Amino acid sequence: MKTTLEKVPQGDPLTIPDKKAVIDAVIERNRQKPGATMVVLSELQNEIGFLSEPMQEYIADELRVPLSSVHGVVTFYSFFTTTPRGRHSIKFCLGTACYVGGAEQLIEKAEQVLGIKMGGTTQNGAITIETCRCVGACSQAPVVAVDEELFGKMTAAKLPKVLSQFQD
Amino acid sequence: MTYISTYEDLVALHDDSTRKFEEKRKSPDFKIHTSDELKPPTEKEVRIVLRNSGKIDPFDICEYIAKDGYLAIGKVLTSMTPEEVIEEVLASGLRGRGGAGFPTGLKWRFARNANTEPKYMICNADEGDPGAFMNRMLLETDPHCVIEGMIIGAYAAGSNQGYVYCRAEYPVAVKTMTHAINQAREMGFLGKNIMGSGFDFDLEVRMGAGAFVCGEETALMSSIEGKRGEPRPRPPFPAQSGLWAKPTNVNNVETYGNVPQIILKGSGWYASLGTEKCKGSKTFALAGDLNKPGLIEVPFGITLREVIFDIGGGIKNGKEFKAIQTGGPMGGCLPASMLDLQIGYEALTAAGSIMGSGGLIVMDEDTCMVDIARFFMDFTQDESCGKCVPCRVGTRRILEILTRICEGEGREGDIELLETLCKEIRQDSLCGLGQGAPNPIVSILQHFREEYEIHIREKRCPAKVCKALITYQINPETCTGCTLCARNCPVGAISGERKQVHVIDPDICTKCGICSSVCNFNAVEVI
């Protein structure tokens, strides 16, 4: 079954030439690896920011694995998303040390300051806020991760200033 | 970068690197990167697996070589048979540091005895336990000791290909390990004909994608195979049928990290530390309501009391100790009466907890143990892969009951129901996640039963944590009307004019506690 690219909705990364080039390069580079599905999906989540259904079909086709396998993997792991995220991903760690250190207060404050609920994206597309499981910086609890940067010993008073840095 | 084609070349490089290393450190501009997370060892600690952390540049393989790096594999390849390596590791008493504590030498022997090819070595770097970051520290500060340990293990087991499976939440560890592997390959410690011995071995890093269950070895292997991280029944064990149904040896980061020194200094040296059943040292991550959280490395046999009070500096803000959670979300909570327990695999299991990977979370008197049980079950429920019914459905039912209790809707009979559910889930689940999920609940029921009873019968939370059972109010005698609380309240529940006593509207208040934490006059009370 070949993916017919005519059916792909406008705006999907497959229809944007430089994004499609990235997708093809990632697939080509990793095609021969055993267990390539996970490697390709991880790299594309990182490069493109999400894994749309047309992308999943295309990857399944190219790697010669059933679409149900690819979709099963995308929906299993929490790092894979099927819709675009904001430019900055702000994650509130809910590991034990952070929870005991007051992570829930930070979450309430963030929701109030940004006007969105956990999992949502701000109107201007700048920020997506999410919770995540332990990032392994427990002695700095509670921790807020913005993209790959960690902000430790966060308080509800300090949080608004940190958020405003990323509000673009 | 010199290619090392013989053991003699390595020895020469070692001498040269040691000299350069010492000269570099004499320079007045030299600065070593220190981390708040791993401080210099206190009196009761040791630095064995963490000996190089913070002392060498993890991006320069020659600094690792200056610290006797790769000399162990050199010794192994030139003067030991695979069986001799296995004997030595067995004699050292090294047990799996991932938590199960299985003798490492024995695991390697099983892989060696398997009759199928190829064989795989896997490093489990999916440190998913909330509260644990020991493996992250080792991967980021001394990746080469893990690589060297894997090469030695591969030689012993008869494997030519290995994978380091690292969780995606550790991007720095992934980068550091990838860089280290590339440098090791350039110098000839990985690849074909290592140091002219005829032995081939190479490594690849594979990343997780945010699934706690992939720390379980069979789920981890499914993930490397490009599938959903669902565990498989055992037997067959990985040593017989693992990655792509081939013999596979899975060990934790810290387990591999200990191997080079065991080879260089001898099993006798390693076995002289620790206790009779638990040899050597273990890293732990201290976190929670402590004065000095961070990473420590201690010999087995040290007591919890010594760890919390002598090394961890005791409970912060002058509060009382209430409980210590060991072993991550599959572990148990131990009360003050167990503080003199000597840390070891069997001792912790007998106390109703587990060693786990080494996270130790200290909780003070302001912690509600029922809320903590609910918190852990929420985590486990979310991370359950869904494959087997006892875990998928059982953990959800337990979570429902605990949530009801925390919301003031506990019923007579709830405790008994929890006990029955826990027993069945433990017995019937397919993997360690389900089998261990009831542990926090059971240990909290065992040591803090009264708190459950008060929640259920009196609809009260003694620690004043469970939101449905508490009210925030402002003490009119101490409130100065500074408006700080009103300005910080995320839902606008506080009203009052400047310099007038402020009031919290209980119908709007979400009990987030922000007002209490910003008030400079301790005027916010929780009842």
Side-chain angles (χ1 to χ4, degrees):
Chain A
M1 185 210 79
K2 262 283 175 221
T3 322
T4 38
L5 287 177
E6 294 96 55
K7 281 204 218 140
V8 177
Q10 263 314 305
D12 185 276
L14 285 172
T15 61
I16 303 169
D18 56 342
K19 296 226 161 117
K20 174 128 191 322
V22 168
I23 295 172
D24 284 329
V26 167
I27 293 175
E28 225 21 71
R29 194 164 57 234
N30 294 297
R31 188 192 283 284
Q32 299 304 327
K33 285 194 177 137
T37 312
M38 274 292 282
V39 182
V40 167
L41 290 174
S42 290
E43 285 191 31
L44 287 178
Q45 174 69 44
N46 208 22
E47 305 260 358
I48 307 286
F50 68 111
L51 301 159
S52 67
E53 282 194 19
M55 280 171 72
Q56 292 174 39
E57 270 192 63
Y58 186 73
I59 293 166
D61 226 31
E62 288 290 316
L63 295 180
R64 311 273 194 275
V65 296
L67 175 57
S68 62
S69 286
V70 173
H71 188 67
V73 169
V74 169
T75 50
F76 183 85
Y77 295 91
S78 64
F79 262 50
F80 298 143
T81 60
T82 52
T83 50
R85 290 298 193 250
R87 285 186 289 286
H88 298 289
S89 160
I90 301 192
K91 293 189 158 98
F92 292 81
C93 178
L94 272 183
T96 319
C98 290
Y99 180 76
V100 162
E104 292 206 315
Q105 271 190 17
L106 298 179
I107 289 173
E108 302 228 17
K109 192 67 180 168
E111 287 180 332
Q112 181 226 356
V113 166
L114 297 173
I116 48 175
K117 289 274 165 218
M118 267 303 137
T121 305
T122 53
Q123 194 86 302
N124 64 355
I127 296 176
T128 301
I129 50 172
E130 292 165 300
T131 58
C132 67
R133 296 300 174 182
C134 181
V135 295
C138 318
S139 60
Q140 312 293 311
V143 166
V144 177
V146 182
D147 304 324
E148 283 187 3
E149 207 183 333
L150 294 182
F151 291 84
K153 303 208 165 108
M154 186 54 63
T155 61
K158 284 196 269 180
L159 187 63
K161 198 153 178 229
V162 171
L163 292 176
S164 63
Q165 278 176 45
F166 299 98
Q167 256 158 328
D168 282 357
Chain B
M1 195 127 288
T2 352
Y3 183 82
I4 302 294
S5 41
T6 62
Y7 184 38
E8 289 72 32
D9 285 351
L10 173 60
V11 173
L13 179 61
H14 167 258
D15 296 338
D16 188 51
S17 302
T18 314
R19 200 179 31 82
K20 287 196 175 121
F21 182 85
E22 266 143 40
E23 270 169 28
K24 211 184 196 178
R25 270 137 186 87
K26 285 197 194 115
S27 152
D29 321 304
F30 178 77
K31 249 176 83 177
I32 195 80
H33 164 76
T34 48
S35 157
D36 239 356
E37 296 174 306
L38 178 66
K39 304 193 185 57
T42 56
E43 208 190 300
K44 301 201 170 183
E45 290 180 69
V46 293
R47 287 288 179 265
I48 296 183
V49 78
L50 289 176
R51 68 187 180 111
N52 289 330
S53 295
K55 300 216 173 84
I56 62 170
D57 176 0
F59 286 90
D60 184 354
I61 189 174
C62 291
E63 295 218 346
Y64 178 67
I65 291 173
K67 290 288 190 187
D68 300 344
Y70 292 104
L71 285 180
I73 185 62
K75 174 180 174 185
V76 159
L77 290 173
T78 52
S79 62
M80 293 174 83
T81 63
E83 225 357 275
E84 281 168 343
V85 174
I86 291 173
E87 279 303 325
E88 188 67 348
V89 173
L90 266 172
S92 73
L94 180 66
R95 293 168 70 171
R97 295 290 189 254
F102 191 82
T104 309
L106 204 52
K107 221 184 214 187
W108 291 3
R109 177 168 281 156
F110 290 153
R112 172 146 207 88
N113 291 342
N115 286 325
T116 335
E117 297 266 296
K119 297 182 189 174
Y120 296 104
M121 297 298 277
I122 295 182
C123 175
N124 186 340
D126 192 63
E127 187 179 50
D129 277 357
F133 55 105
M134 306 76 56
N135 290 173
R136 173 175 73 78
M137 180 59 66
L138 196 57
L139 292 166
E140 288 178 8
T141 57
D142 193 10
H144 287 285
C145 76
V146 179
I147 295 174
E148 194 180 357
M150 287 188 81
I151 307 173
I152 295 171
Y155 175 77
S159 155
N160 305 113
Q161 176 65 46
Y163 293 96
V164 177
Y165 184 88
C166 188
R167 62 195 300 246
E169 292 87 336
Y170 287 174
V172 177
V174 168
K175 284 196 186 97
T176 317
M177 180 49 96
T178 307
H179 185 268
I181 289 175
N182 289 338
Q183 282 200 322
R185 197 181 289 122
E186 262 185 68
M187 287 197 106
F189 299 120
L190 288 172
K192 302 243 180 274
N193 193 20
I194 300 174
M195 281 192 264
S197 64
F199 174 64
D200 308 337
F201 181 68
D202 213 334
L203 269 180
E204 198 185 311
V205 174
R206 287 290 176 100
M207 278 174 63
F212 171 77
V213 69
C214 286
E216 197 280 338
E217 62 182 1
T218 60
L220 191 158
M221 293 188 293
S222 290
S223 188
I224 295 182
E225 291 176 7
K227 304 181 187 138
R228 290 164 70 96
E230 288 172 352
R232 306 167 202 170
R234 285 167 297 172
F237 287 88
Q240 270 71 54
S241 171
L243 198 56
W244 297 298
K246 300 293 182 199
T248 307
N249 178 81
V250 185
N251 277 126
N252 175 266
V253 170
E254 192 177 332
T255 312
Y256 285 122
N258 273 299
V259 170
Q261 286 192 83
I262 289 174
I263 297 293
L264 280 182
K265 292 185 168 149
S267 54
W269 157 78
Y270 197 74
S272 69
L273 282 160
T275 67
E276 202 204 308
K277 288 206 175 134
C278 303
K279 300 291 181 197
S281 63
K282 177 84 187 72
T283 56
F284 289 99
L286 286 181
D289 300 318
L290 272 179
N291 279 316
K292 296 193 208 159
L295 288 181
I296 66 172
E297 188 178 357
V298 290
F300 281 113
I302 194 172
T303 64
L304 287 172
R305 191 186 298 277
E306 287 172 286
V307 167
I308 297 168
F309 294 97
D310 297 342
I311 304 176
I315 312 300
K316 68 179 189 211
N317 298 330
K319 300 269 182 180
E320 285 296 309
F321 170 86
K322 187 163 186 181
I324 178 167
Q325 208 272 336
T326 79
M330 267 86 252
C333 291
L334 303 175
S337 58
M338 309 205 96
L339 281 173
D340 293 308
L341 183 145
Q342 288 186 296
I343 297 180
Y345 293 98
E346 284 76 21
L348 282 166
T349 313
S353 184
I354 57 170
M355 177 76 69
S357 56
L360 295 173
I361 314 232
V362 175
M363 299 169 189
D364 70 15
E365 62 195 78
D366 293 335
T367 315
C368 171
M369 299 314 289
V370 184
D371 178 60
I372 289 289
R374 187 200 55 78
F375 169 80
F376 280 126
M377 193 48 75
D378 184 65
F379 173 85
T380 318
Q381 219 293 300
D382 197 28
E383 297 292 339
S384 167
C385 79
K387 186 171 178 179
C388 73
V389 169
C391 179
R392 184 179 76 240
V393 181
T395 53
R396 185 169 286 267
R397 293 287 94 86
I398 292 185
L399 181 61
E400 283 167 2
I401 297 171
L402 290 171
T403 308
R404 259 198 304 103
I405 295 176
C406 290
E407 287 177 354
E409 288 166 33
R411 308 193 273 256
E412 271 313 312
D414 271 347
I415 294 182
E416 289 71 18
L417 185 53
L418 281 175
E419 284 172 332
T420 313
L421 277 171
C422 285
K423 183 163 155 238
E424 293 188 355
I425 295 167
R426 223 183 211 167
Q427 202 168 278
D428 302 328
S429 295
L430 178 59
C431 82
L433 191 152
Q435 289 155 11
N439 287 347
I441 319 297
V442 170
S443 71
I444 292 174
L445 268 172
Q446 186 184 349
H447 300 297
F448 300 93
R449 195 183 186 92
E450 204 187 48
E451 270 190 69
Y452 275 94
E453 288 171 347
I454 294 176
H455 277 72
I456 293 173
R457 292 179 190 154
E458 296 176 39
K459 309 288 191 255
R460 186 168 60 86
C461 175
K464 302 196 183 146
V465 168
C466 295
K467 294 182 179 177
L469 306 180
I470 54 173
T471 319
Y472 276 76
Q473 66 184 28
I474 295 176
N475 185 340
E477 323 231 309
T478 33
C479 175
T480 62
C482 74
T483 76
L484 196 54
C485 59
R487 281 183 279 132
N488 275 284
C489 175
V491 293
I494 308 180
S495 55
E497 297 296 317
R498 210 172 181 74
K499 302 243 169 100
Q500 302 290 319
V501 165
H502 278 48
V503 172
I504 300 175
D505 184 341
D507 293 329
I508 306 176
C509 175
T510 58
K511 294 144 200 196
C512 68
I514 291 181
C515 53
S516 171
S517 53
V518 301
C519 178
N520 291 318
F521 302 96
N522 284 326
V524 181
E525 291 170 347
V526 185
I527 53 156

